[in-house]
Each structure stands twice: as structure tokens, then as C-alpha cells.
Amino acid sequence: MKLKATDLHPLMQEYLHELHVLRQLSPHTLKAYGMDLSDLQNFALEDSIELLKVSNGHVRRWAGRLHSKGKSSRSIARALSAWRGWYDWLSEKDARRDVRAGKVTSTLVANPVDDVKAPKRLKSLPKALSVEQALTLVNQAVKEAEEKKDLESIRDAAIIDLLYSSGLRLSELLGIDVMQSKDRQYESAGWLDWDAAEVTVLGKGGKRRSVPVGMPAMKSLMAWRELRDAGSYAEESIALFLSATGKRLSPRTVQARLRTLAMRAGLPTHVHPHMMRHSFASHVLQSSQDLRAVQEMLGHVSIASTQIYTSLDFQHLAQAYDKAHPRAKAGKA
């Protein structure tokens, strides 16, 4: 049975009072610490262990109980922090003191929570759109481009279609040039091969990779290029995606435009560029079950992993892409 806050050990109440007065912790934090200390006291009562005689082994067992009760790693880590803080506080006090109920005769030799760690938190995957949501978003962008026929709408459709079509990082997308530079003084970070329908980008660790671009995305990109090249500012920059002033597009602009478009498409979630990248990976993997091909297209390879993927040529990647991606063949005759 849970103890009420007023039933906490007097030393625990004193500790919480000091946290409130001296450290000025928020009421929310104090309430959480009180619950954690209540758990500690309950565990000790259940196992008939005096609080000042709790061992490292007891704490490990009780942390395990918290885990078996469904407590998250974060909650267990917070509980251990509260327990550790209380025992640290006790070690600074005289072990023999009045605690209203009598004298404490046990001396705290060491902090029993030392070296006890919470279970490692599993890394949560970035949220991904469903196939239907992703297609709704892309179709919304394409529809607006066809209806408005303005620079921003046509550019945004090309950007969103390419993000979902090829799973690029935002930095990779913004580093793409219209074509590979032949200037010895300037080396393109990325470029589009319009004839081969593939994009080459510079990923993390300075590693280049080439990724297929689906036909619908190529159609959106060609529409944007036609408009881009018709502008007077296009001659001033080799960047593929430009702002209305002719500058290479900024990350914030893409993030804001994607978020606004998702709202207009009626998607019930905040959409950002990485979500499009993760949606690409999830949807291809769901269909193809080809983890190696997906990792290769994403550029998620360590030095050791790279050796595994060297046997995968681009043709194999293209086949996996064409077979699995929802928009790889859409629109083809």
C-alpha cells in the first residue's frame, strides 16, 4: 500500500523541505521526488529492511521491481537520482540524531545507490508518416503547384517530392546543384543527373552516394527547373533550389514551408524534413524487406558496414527502389 506524503520518514520530509527552501525546486519536482522516496520506503518496508541498512543489492533489486511494474527508464533514473540524493544528504548529517520517533542508532556507511544505473533507454525512432499520409502530402504539393503556377508552389512541390522520393537529409537536399560543376575552383556538394534520374549527395563523414529519383519526382523537378532557369537570378547561382531573391534556399524556409503545407493537407501531426526521410526508409523497407539496400540509399553506414555493402551495385539499389517505393513508378506509361 502506498504511503501518503505525511507518512514519509521524518528524515525524508526534512530532505524535501531543504530542497524546497534551499534549492527552491518546483512543486512538480518536489512531488515527483516525494513519490520516489515513498517507493523507496515502501520497498524497505516490504523487505523488512531499515532505511539506513539498505545495501547496494537491495537498491538494484528494487530498481528491477520498478522496471517490472512498467516504469520507463527515465522514471527509474529519476527515482535512483532521488534516492541517491537523499542518501548523500544523510551522509552529511550525524547518523545519531533525533527523528521525532526516537534515536537513530544505525550509521550509514556508504551510499547504497552508488553505481546503480537505470536500464538504458531505447532510442525512439523518428515518427514516420503512413504511406497514405505521405502521398496525401506530396499530392497536395503537386496540386497546389499545378493550380497556382507560382515560383514557391512549384519549387515546394519539387522539394517535397524529392525528399520523399530519395530520403535525403535536409542539408543534402539544400547542397544540390542543378548539375555537377566543372569549375576547378568549385566542387558541387551534390547534383542531379537529369538523364539517369538519380541524385548524388555529400552525406555525413564526407561520403558521397547516389540515390534513384522516382519519375513523379523527376517531373516535379523538371517543372521547377524550367521556371528556375527562366528567372533572371538563375544565372547568379548554380544551386538547384533558390529563394525568390536568387539565393540558395535556407533550412528554415524549407521547414516552414513543409509544416504549412502539411497543415493545409490536413495531416494531424507536425511534419519536418527528417520525417519525410524516415517515411521514405520505412515504406521502402516495409515493401522490400531489403535492409541493406535501404541503408545504402540512406547513407547509414559505418566503416564496417560499408564493407558489407560494397557488393551492392547501383543497379541492385535501383531495382529495390523501383519495386518497393510507392512513387517510383507512379505516373509511368
Side-chain angles (χ1 to χ4, degrees):
M1 180 178 179
K2 281 279 186 182
L3 293 172
K4 296 180 181 179
T6 52
D7 294 329
L8 281 176
H9 192 289
L11 285 175
M12 289 180 173
Q13 295 187 44
E14 184 181 347
Y15 173 60
L16 292 174
H17 179 71
E18 286 198 13
L19 291 180
H20 171 64
V21 175
L22 300 181
R23 293 179 55 184
Q24 297 185 337
L25 296 186
S26 69
H28 176 76
T29 301
L30 289 172
K31 181 179 179 181
Y33 272 39
M35 294 173 63
D36 293 331
L37 292 175
S38 176
D39 283 335
L40 172 64
Q41 183 170 316
N42 276 311
F43 286 140
L45 286 173
E46 290 171 4
D47 290 359
S48 301
I49 302 294
E50 294 182 23
L51 283 169
L52 296 181
K53 292 184 179 179
V54 170
S55 69
N56 188 268
H58 292 129
V59 173
R60 291 180 186 277
R61 184 163 67 248
W62 298 339
R65 288 184 191 174
L66 291 176
H67 182 68
S68 65
K69 290 181 178 180
K71 293 283 187 179
S72 67
S73 297
R74 184 181 300 229
S75 296
I76 297 173
R78 189 198 65 199
L80 291 173
S81 177
W83 299 356
R84 187 180 296 108
W86 183 64
Y87 279 114
D88 280 340
W89 177 81
L90 282 179
S91 67
E92 298 172 359
K93 300 283 186 180
D94 185 353
R96 297 177 179 274
R97 70 187 73 190
D98 290 331
V99 290
R100 299 181 188 174
K103 298 237 182 232
V104 177
T105 57
S106 300
T107 301
L108 185 66
V109 177
N111 191 326
V113 193
D114 283 348
D115 300 325
V116 180
K117 297 180 180 179
K120 289 185 178 180
R121 282 186 291 172
L122 294 176
K123 291 185 178 180
S124 57
L125 290 173
K127 292 182 179 179
L129 299 172
S130 68
V131 172
E132 292 75 15
Q133 288 175 329
L135 293 179
T136 295
L137 177 58
V138 175
N139 291 334
Q140 176 72 23
V142 172
K143 177 183 176 182
E144 291 192 12
E146 293 174 346
E147 293 177 348
K148 296 181 179 180
K149 293 182 170 45
D150 62 346
L151 182 145
E152 289 186 338
S153 297
I154 294 176
R155 181 200 63 201
D156 293 349
I159 287 174
I160 294 172
D161 222 339
L162 182 57
L163 280 174
Y164 182 50
S165 176
S166 301
L168 304 183
R169 297 181 178 93
L170 179 56
S171 60
E172 295 169 347
L173 176 102
L174 296 179
I176 298 172
D177 291 336
V178 177
M179 60 187 65
Q180 186 176 10
S181 173
K182 302 298 183 181
D183 189 341
R184 293 183 179 180
Q185 296 181 346
Y186 173 79
E187 182 181 6
S188 297
W191 60 88
L192 263 167
D193 186 328
W194 299 88
D195 294 328
E198 68 180 73
V199 60
T200 298
V201 295
L202 186 65
K204 290 184 177 180
K207 294 185 176 68
R208 289 197 185 278
R209 72 182 190 281
S210 294
V211 189
V213 180
M215 292 307 297
M218 285 301 301
K219 181 179 178 181
S220 295
L221 287 164
M222 288 181 206
W224 160 245
R225 183 181 180 180
E226 182 179 351
L227 184 62
R228 174 199 179 280
D229 292 350
S232 59
Y233 54 76
E235 298 178 358
E236 302 176 8
S237 176
I238 194 175
L240 175 60
F241 296 114
L242 302 173
S243 67
T245 58
K247 304 294 184 181
R248 191 181 291 269
L249 211 57
S250 70
R252 287 190 177 183
T253 299
V254 176
Q255 292 164 348
R257 299 288 295 180
L258 181 57
R259 181 171 59 250
T260 302
L261 189 63
M263 292 175 62
R264 290 204 294 268
L267 298 187
T269 184
H270 166 61
V271 180
H272 50 83
H274 187 74
M275 183 178 287
M276 299 302 294
R277 172 176 165 83
H278 188 61
S279 300
F280 159 86
S282 298
H283 301 164
V284 174
L285 186 58
Q286 288 169 14
S287 299
S288 70
Q289 299 298 312
D290 195 335
L291 181 61
R292 294 189 301 169
V294 173
Q295 289 186 340
E296 181 79 359
M297 286 186 280
L298 287 175
H300 278 171
V301 289
S302 63
I303 295 177
S305 298
T306 304
Q307 296 175 348
I308 298 173
Y309 300 134
T310 51
S311 60
L312 292 172
D313 58 16
F314 185 78
Q315 182 179 5
H316 170 71
L317 299 180
Q319 289 174 348
Y321 179 91
D322 287 338
K323 182 185 297 183
H325 196 278
R327 283 180 66 80
K329 295 182 179 179
K332 287 186 179 181

